[in-house]
Amino acid sequence: MKQRIITAIIALIVVIPFLIYGRWPFVLFGFLLATIGLYELIAMRKLSQFAIPGIFAVLLLWTILARFDGDVVPYISMSKLEGAGLFILLLLAYTVFSKNKFTFEDAGFLAVSAFYVGMGFYYLIEARLYGLDYLLFIFFIIWATDSGAYFVGRSLGKRKLWPVISPNKTIEGAIGGIVIALIVAVVFQLVHPFDYSIISIIFIALLISVAGQVGDLVESAFKRHYGVKDSGKLLPGHGGILDRLDSMIFVLPFLHFIHFIH
């Protein structure tokens, strides 16, 4: 517990200045966190992080994270979609040059991993640039869901939610997390109202809470499949970047899909 608290304090000291200032430092910080998150997934599959496929995967990730709509490469007419497609084709081509030591499954894993991490962190960056209050609202709802699920699950939990993936989570805890999240959302709207009705805010908070719990289970499924306890060791007592931000990067794309954050 002491290690977790110390790590949390240090992490907050590092993150808060980027979060408050925003703009290009936060964009670069987002690129860094996303790259670490991708490397965590690559390490789970026991692929070489600095071999050619790993480099292609990082370049694919950075292409997805790029915020501009123009050409990816100067003087070459290539959109983001075309740039991403190029790196996927290079990953597939490498299966031939490696004489299938690097397999089609490996290429697919790297492509999906880069897209999963890249899409989540792209929208994280966009959310901060759109407004700190929106990002704080999302943080509060996810935190309320996690805390509510933990405490309600410990005190009232009896029925397992998904024991094969996460044996400690309960149905009662999941419902409790949603209820606490909705309460926090209403309080947040009363204190700092968004340009939405209270019904819309409740619906958005419900989406964040449910999607956040699904995102947490997705990350748990990865770790269970690859036989690891944590996604990484960067944060002693907490695990890796994906262990801390799994719900966030899963939630944010949905909020953009419904145009809560434009």
Side-chain angles (χ1 to χ4, degrees):
M1 179 60 72
K2 182 179 179 181
Q3 181 66 73
R4 286 178 62 88
I5 294 173
I6 293 173
T7 301
I9 292 172
I10 295 173
L12 286 173
I13 292 172
V14 172
V15 171
I16 287 177
F18 288 100
L19 194 60
I20 293 175
Y21 186 77
R23 288 174 278 188
W24 65 264
F26 188 81
V27 173
L28 295 179
F29 189 57
F31 267 70
L32 175 62
L33 293 181
T35 304
I36 294 172
L38 178 60
Y39 275 138
E40 288 176 353
L41 285 173
I42 294 173
M44 280 190 207
R45 192 171 171 87
K46 296 181 172 57
L47 294 173
S48 177
Q49 296 170 316
F50 302 104
I52 291 176
I55 294 171
F56 286 158
V58 170
L59 292 174
L60 171 59
L61 172 72
W62 290 352
T63 301
I64 295 169
L65 289 173
R67 296 191 62 248
F68 49 83
D69 296 323
D71 297 341
V72 172
V73 182
Y75 310 112
I76 298 178
S77 181
M78 183 180 291
S79 67
K80 278 184 62 171
L81 179 60
E82 292 167 337
L86 171 64
F87 289 118
I88 291 174
L89 291 176
L90 290 174
L91 283 170
L92 293 174
Y94 193 76
T95 63
V96 176
F97 291 109
S98 69
K99 298 180 179 179
N100 222 33
K101 291 179 181 179
F102 176 76
T103 67
F104 179 79
E105 287 79 11
D106 293 330
F109 172 84
L110 289 178
V112 171
S113 295
F115 187 79
Y116 160 62
V117 174
M119 183 170 63
F121 278 96
Y122 173 81
Y123 287 125
L124 175 63
I125 293 169
E126 288 294 306
R128 174 58 191 92
L129 297 178
Y130 190 66
L132 180 59
D133 52 348
Y134 283 84
L135 198 53
L136 288 177
F137 175 76
I138 300 164
F139 271 126
F140 275 122
I141 300 305
I142 291 175
W143 173 80
T145 300
D146 290 344
S147 300
Y150 176 78
F151 289 110
V152 173
R154 283 190 59 123
S155 58
L156 302 175
K158 294 181 180 179
R159 293 170 293 177
K160 298 296 183 181
L161 177 64
W162 213 292
V164 176
I165 294 176
S166 187
N168 294 326
K169 288 182 171 58
T170 64
I171 295 175
E172 293 81 2
I175 295 173
I178 292 172
V179 172
I180 300 300
L182 296 181
I183 293 172
V184 169
V186 171
V187 172
F188 196 103
Q189 176 69 359
L190 293 175
V191 174
H192 182 86
F194 293 105
D195 191 21
Y196 290 94
S197 68
I198 193 70
I199 298 299
S200 297
I201 288 296
I202 290 173
F203 169 77
I204 291 165
L206 178 63
L207 174 62
I208 294 172
S209 185
V210 172
Q213 294 190 66
V214 173
D216 184 61
L217 288 171
V218 167
E219 181 65 21
S220 295
F222 289 162
K223 293 185 289 187
R224 178 75 59 174
H225 178 74
Y226 290 109
V228 297
K229 182 177 181 294
D230 297 314
S231 67
K233 299 179 180 178
L234 181 65
L235 306 171
H238 292 265
I241 293 298
L242 295 182
D243 289 313
R244 293 302 89 207
L245 296 177
D246 50 4
S247 296
M248 177 66 69
I249 65 174
F250 200 84
V251 162
L252 282 163
F254 286 102
L255 296 180
H256 280 77
F257 296 159
I258 66 170
H259 301 293
F260 175 61
I261 302 173
H262 302 287

